[in-house]
Amino acid sequence: MAIFEIKDLTFSYPDAQRPALCGINMAVEPGEFVVVCGKSGCGKSTLLRHLKTALTPHGARSGEVRFEGRALENVSVREQAGAIGYVLQSPDAQIVTDKVWHELAFGLENLGLDQQVIRLRVAEMASFFAMQPWFDKRVDELSGGQKQLLNLASVMAMQPRVLVIDEPTAQLDPLTAREFLDTIHHINVDLGTTVIMVEHRLEDVLPLADKVLVLEQGRQLLYGDPRTVGHNLVGNELFLTMPSPMRIMEGSQLGGDCPLTVREGRVWLDDRLDAGASTLRVHAAPDGLAGSDSSLQNAGDSSYSVGFAAQEACDGYSVVPKNGDVVLRCQEVWFRYERRAPDVLRGLTMEVRRGELFCLLGANGTGKSTALGVLAGLLQPYRGDVQVFGRKLRRGELATSTGGVGMLPQDSQCLFAEDTVRADLEEMLLDRKDMAPDERACKVERMAELVEITHLLDMHPYDLSGGEQQRAALAKVLLLEPKILLLDEPTKGLDGLYKEKLAHIFTRLRAQGVTILMVSHDVEFCAAHGGRFALLFDGSIVSKADANTFFCGNSFYTTAANRMARHLFPNAITVEEVVHACKDATRRL
């Protein structure tokens, strides 16, 4: 008997232009690992919320969801609470208590279990998830990765038969994400817990899956094993979301069995290219592909504009920087949140040049978001200087208030203050007295079209998916026409296809002289589109270099394509570079 069976499920949100889900049919067997993927806003999170009645969204629904042979609405709330575990995308949205140990016990207490049983399960979960070092901590002292692990442990303490997870790695660094997914894999294999997961980061999660469900505009496009799904997506734009080994095989046209993991891809490369031949080793990146800043060479298309003001000077600054000039600098910055707390930033020194995309990487809790806050003037260092366009920020002065700096925070929801997306965007232009109302409305429409949220303008921002909220928040920031963009995890919740469109937007902005400083865990995106890169560790920068120097020397902070092919093509970083190198190698065989 299937643990979940969905029959002809169709759902529409109130006043929506089209159904969020349309005719979904699928069965999930006990112990299976099912991954749900697709573009941002295709209905993935909506589908997951139908798997627990307490989370089912309001709207018009037809069809049926059955749990272990029974209609889900006939399963009591108490039984669902224990049998169906649900981990939300945002770690902070699920935590309800102030202490780690209390959070672990909270669900069990609500189930009315005996105190001895609660103590045993809490101890077991804390031991299994290696939480002893922070068992007595306050939850607001935890990193994003620790909070996500705490949410998972709290759900697993109730011993659910099904674990439903919505983009759990969206805010995790590559190493923490891999450890988190390994834990999920052990829960699935060792405990037999059924796992249903929405995820955009498919490099690591697809090899764990038994089945993959692909949604497109609310419809079920494909449902099957990962290799079959990947093969059937060839030619579809969604193939861009598939793991690098799959895309390299398809792009190089070398044939053979479809590799799914980096290890399988390495074996496949050796088999197809005869790795023993020393002539195949490439000692430099393929011509024209090394370094990402080459994307700017043809970026100055005068027909493209996001409506940025023509003037170069920003309010409060008289310096007009040219491309390559330093526009953002911090020197020996030290910062701590409380007087007696440990330092988060320890002598942070960095500079960002006009027109570049500078990527700041590092593990959860190393101070990346704190660094952005200091650069924006939102946080005050107790030692060191921050300069914007050559002028030192005064104490208490916000860089974002000058009109020259815009910031996209990690939690995009904190930017929304109105009842509709349209009203939120129009709010950014209320102070523009030089613009007529119809001109402001036109500007909002153009920006919505640019970030592809036109169809969402009349929806409440909180009703959007994570990826849609991210795009709406980016639109709000861009409407300010900043000359420096500070972005905290801008690709969070975005599918692979829209990430390419975002990269195009970044390229055009940079061609107009806009500087972008991006904090990110998305190594693949950074490697493909960034210009310079820095690794933050223990509050300071330990490495700073261009793409080839930075990624080729790393074991974990590098791309799947590089890990797969570095024994043959040491300087190839992206999928495109490896494909190019493969084709070049076969021509020389």
Side-chain angles (χ1 to χ4, degrees):
M1 179 192 302
I3 196 164
F4 265 116
E5 189 174 7
I6 300 175
K7 297 181 178 180
D8 297 321
L9 178 63
T10 297
F11 174 80
S12 297
Y13 286 99
D15 301 322
Q17 298 177 3
R18 60 178 175 82
L21 298 171
C22 189
I24 305 297
N25 286 278
M26 62 180 292
V28 180
E29 300 299 326
E32 283 190 327
F33 194 128
V34 177
V35 172
V36 184
C37 62
K39 296 180 183 178
S40 300
C42 69
K44 303 184 298 297
S45 295
T46 301
L47 176 62
L48 258 59
R49 290 174 64 186
H50 277 82
L51 302 182
K52 199 162 183 172
T53 53
L55 299 174
T56 300
H58 175 65
R61 189 186 101 167
S62 63
E64 189 177 20
V65 177
R66 301 184 69 84
F67 177 69
E68 296 181 334
R70 295 172 290 168
L72 186 61
E73 55 267 26
N74 295 332
V75 180
S76 69
V77 174
R78 188 186 189 285
E79 183 179 352
Q80 287 188 45
I84 306 171
Y86 201 109
V87 178
L88 300 173
Q89 179 179 354
S90 172
D92 292 310
Q94 193 161 351
I95 293 175
V96 294
T97 67
D98 60 342
K99 293 280 191 176
V100 170
W101 65 266
H102 196 187
E103 188 69 24
L104 288 172
F106 183 78
L108 303 174
E109 292 171 345
N110 279 272
L111 291 177
L113 299 183
D114 182 82
Q115 281 296 318
Q116 188 59 35
V117 174
I118 293 175
R119 292 184 65 183
L120 176 60
R121 290 200 190 177
V122 166
E124 183 184 37
M125 288 301 110
S127 299
F128 178 79
F129 289 96
M131 299 167 64
Q132 295 95 325
W134 38 284
F135 185 74
D136 293 312
K137 275 192 172 184
R138 291 179 55 85
V139 293
D140 56 10
E141 297 175 352
L142 305 182
S143 69
Q146 289 172 327
K147 288 179 181 178
Q148 196 67 295
L149 204 61
L150 175 59
N151 285 334
L152 176 61
S154 301
V155 167
M156 288 306 301
M158 293 186 284
Q159 299 181 350
R161 299 193 288 279
V162 182
L163 187 58
V164 182
I165 317 177
D166 193 357
E167 289 196 59
T169 69
Q171 300 183 43
L172 304 183
D173 64 81
L175 294 179
T176 305
R178 195 163 298 139
E179 292 172 358
F180 186 88
L181 291 174
D182 285 344
T183 301
I184 299 292
H185 180 60
H186 284 300
I187 289 172
N188 174 243
V189 173
D190 297 341
L191 303 181
T193 306
T194 304
V195 176
I196 304 173
M197 178 188 293
V198 164
E199 186 56 77
H200 284 304
R201 189 183 291 186
L202 298 180
E203 294 283 357
D204 297 318
V205 73
L206 218 59
L208 308 178
D210 298 302
K211 291 180 181 176
V212 179
L213 172 67
V214 183
L215 296 180
E216 189 171 40
Q217 294 186 343
R219 297 181 180 274
Q220 181 174 324
L221 183 63
L222 294 167
Y223 186 46
D225 70 88
R227 297 179 201 277
T228 301
V229 166
H231 176 75
N232 290 334
L233 279 178
V234 173
N236 188 301
E237 59 185 5
L238 288 172
F239 187 69
L240 188 64
T241 66
M242 290 294 104
S244 297
M246 277 188 178
R247 293 161 53 204
I248 289 171
M249 176 188 172
E250 173 61 24
S252 62
Q253 297 292 304
L254 294 179
D257 295 331
C258 178
L260 189 59
T261 66
V262 168
R263 179 181 179 181
E264 290 175 357
R266 197 177 296 120
V267 172
W268 171 82
L269 268 180
D270 289 345
D271 178 61
R272 308 314 291 177
L273 296 180
D274 185 15
S278 60
T279 55
L280 290 184
R281 294 195 175 273
V282 178
H283 299 291
D287 291 343
L289 291 176
S292 305
D293 275 348
S294 59
S295 60
L296 280 179
Q297 292 175 357
N298 298 313
D301 183 358
S302 59
S303 65
Y304 178 91
S305 174
V306 294
F308 275 50
Q311 71 271 16
E312 294 291 343
C314 299
D315 295 341
Y317 299 100
S318 58
V319 177
V320 182
K322 300 178 180 179
N323 274 336
D325 288 350
V326 174
V327 296
L328 190 62
R329 174 187 284 119
C330 62
Q331 185 72 30
E332 283 294 320
V333 166
W334 292 73
F335 175 85
R336 61 172 70 124
Y337 283 97
E338 296 177 4
R339 182 180 295 275
R340 298 185 182 278
D343 290 311
V344 179
L345 300 179
R346 303 165 178 262
L348 178 66
T349 298
M350 61 183 292
E351 57 184 34
V352 185
R353 301 168 188 150
R354 184 179 191 263
E356 75 171 336
L357 173 53
F358 190 102
C359 301
L360 187 61
L361 297 92
N364 289 97
T366 55
K368 301 184 302 299
S369 296
T370 301
L372 277 193
V374 168
L375 291 170
L378 301 172
L379 302 173
Q380 302 299 318
Y382 69 86
R383 187 188 307 167
D385 297 330
V386 175
Q387 296 180 11
V388 181
F389 296 114
R391 191 172 78 85
K392 179 181 175 181
L393 281 183
R394 297 184 297 271
R395 186 165 187 82
E397 181 183 10
L398 298 180
T400 52
S401 67
T402 65
V405 180
M407 181 172 176
L408 176 68
Q410 189 173 102
D411 181 9
S412 56
Q413 285 191 352
C414 70
L415 293 183
F416 301 128
E418 304 295 336
D419 291 335
T420 66
V421 176
R422 187 189 304 276
D424 251 310
L425 297 183
E426 289 175 346
E427 177 197 29
M428 307 305 290
L429 301 175
L430 291 180
D431 293 336
R432 294 289 301 271
K433 305 302 182 184
D434 58 323
M435 298 179 67
D438 57 341
E439 188 180 356
R440 288 198 291 265
C442 183
K443 190 178 182 69
V444 166
E445 289 285 348
R446 288 201 306 269
M447 184 59 68
E449 184 179 355
L450 175 70
V451 299
E452 299 185 5
I453 58 169
T454 302
H455 61 294
L456 306 173
L457 286 175
D458 296 318
M459 292 184 64
H460 194 288
Y462 282 21
D463 288 337
L464 308 184
S465 71
E468 290 169 339
Q469 286 182 347
Q470 197 75 350
R471 282 145 53 189
L474 178 63
K476 288 198 70 170
V477 175
L478 290 180
L479 281 170
L480 293 173
E481 300 183 354
K483 304 305 293 181
I484 298 176
L485 273 172
L486 304 178
L487 307 176
D488 199 347
E489 298 289 346
T491 63
K492 179 186 65 178
L494 301 183
D495 59 86
L497 185 65
Y498 190 80
K499 286 179 186 179
E500 292 302 310
K501 296 177 181 178
L502 180 64
H504 177 75
I505 293 173
F506 285 174
T507 298
R508 298 303 183 182
L509 290 172
R510 294 168 61 199
Q512 299 175 43
V514 177
T515 304
I516 303 173
L517 171 57
M518 181 173 82
V519 162
S520 182
H521 294 311
D522 194 338
V523 173
E524 308 289 335
F525 181 88
C526 291
H529 305 292
R532 286 195 301 146
F533 309 84
L535 182 66
L536 192 66
F537 176 76
D538 196 27
S540 61
I541 290 176
V542 296
S543 175
K544 186 164 53 180
D546 60 18
N548 282 99
T549 305
F550 185 86
F551 290 106
C552 291
N554 293 337
S555 297
F556 299 103
Y557 277 91
T558 188
T559 63
N562 181 256
R563 293 197 305 272
M564 169 181 161
R566 62 167 49 178
H567 66 299
L568 294 177
F569 315 117
N571 290 343
I573 300 170
T574 66
V575 168
E576 292 75 19
E577 290 177 3
V578 174
V579 168
H580 184 92
C582 286
K583 291 181 176 180
D584 184 59
T586 54
R587 284 195 299 266
R588 294 186 284 109
L589 283 176

